[in-house]
Amino acid sequence: MIRLSKLTDYGFVLLTRVAGDDQKSWHTARDLADDTGLPLPTVSKLLKTFGRGGLLIAHRGARGGYSLSRAASDITASDIIEAIDGPIAFTDCMCATQPDACAIEKHCPTKSHWARITETIREALDKVTLAELARPVVAEMETSRAGIAGCRGGHCNSVPGTPCSCGDDKHIMGEIRK
């Protein structure tokens, strides 16, 4: 199974909180820990990591804190992952920081395929911005439901056993009632 590390997951939580708060220009570690429910030491570690990675700017002083280094629409999911975990690579041989990581690399029949897979995933992550991730999920769901032309088989239903949000009470969770 391919998974993000827990720290990377927490990093996304933290940055979406920073990006989603239009009321504050910068945030303290304590405020972010309180707002997200993440432990303060973890928040502090992530803030420093994102600062070193060029995603956040530290503001010193009594009223200091952290702010995004650039617009949320210019920060991608791959930027966030790489700031914490390093280069995106599906296998060791695809990681530029670990040359000769594999004993069979020179004779590997799948290396070029892993390169293609890694590049495809990287391109997909580059298309997802922090601004998109910071938008409330409800707004995203409503937008996608509104885009469905003519509900078929309950595709726009959000609660099992209830009529679809398309307004047609004949569509109940995957079945069409007569």
Side-chain angles (χ1 to χ4, degrees), residues 33-52:
D34 291 343
D35 291 347
T36 62
L38 296 174
L40 182 59
T42 301
V43 170
S44 295
K45 178 180 180 176
L46 284 167
L47 291 172
K48 289 175 188 171
T49 299
F50 289 138
R52 284 190 304 271

Side-chain angles (χ1 to χ4, degrees), residues 132-164:
E132 293 169 320
L133 293 169
R135 273 189 250 146
V137 174
V138 174
E140 291 288 328
M141 290 172 55
E142 292 303 321
T143 301
S144 65
R145 283 186 192 137
I148 296 173
C151 173
R152 295 290 179 258
H155 292 292
C156 58
N157 192 343
S158 59
V159 180
T162 62
C164 285

Side-chain angles (χ1 to χ4, degrees), residues 13-146:
V13 169
L14 196 64
L15 285 181
T16 56
R17 178 69 182 115
V18 172
D21 191 352
D22 296 333
Q23 303 304 314
K24 286 186 177 180
S25 57
W26 57 69
H27 304 264
T28 66
R30 180 161 307 285
D31 288 342
L32 287 168
D34 291 343
D35 291 347
T36 62
L38 296 174
L40 182 59
T42 301
V43 170
S44 295
K45 178 180 180 176
L46 284 167
L47 291 172
K48 289 175 188 171
T49 299
F50 289 138
R52 284 190 304 271
L55 300 179
L56 292 177
I57 297 171
H59 304 276
R60 297 184 184 253
R63 292 189 172 182
Y66 289 85
S67 64
L68 294 176
S69 64
R70 56 190 187 264
S73 59
D74 294 333
I75 297 174
T76 66
S78 60
D79 293 333
I80 298 167
I81 294 168
E82 287 182 333
I84 299 170
D85 291 332
I88 295 170
F90 246 66
T91 58
D92 287 341
C93 64
M94 292 296 104
C95 185
T97 62
Q98 295 180 351
D100 301 323
C102 178
I104 67 164
E105 184 175 352
K106 293 177 182 158
H107 309 288
C108 181
T110 60
K111 182 176 179 177
S112 63
H113 298 293
W114 284 119
R116 188 170 55 109
I117 291 167
T118 297
E119 183 58 30
T120 301
I121 290 170
R122 170 139 185 107
E123 288 172 3
L125 292 168
D126 282 342
K127 291 179 183 176
V128 179
T129 68
L130 180 57
E132 293 169 320
L133 293 169
R135 273 189 250 146
V137 174
V138 174
E140 291 288 328
M141 290 172 55
E142 292 303 321
T143 301
S144 65
R145 283 186 192 137

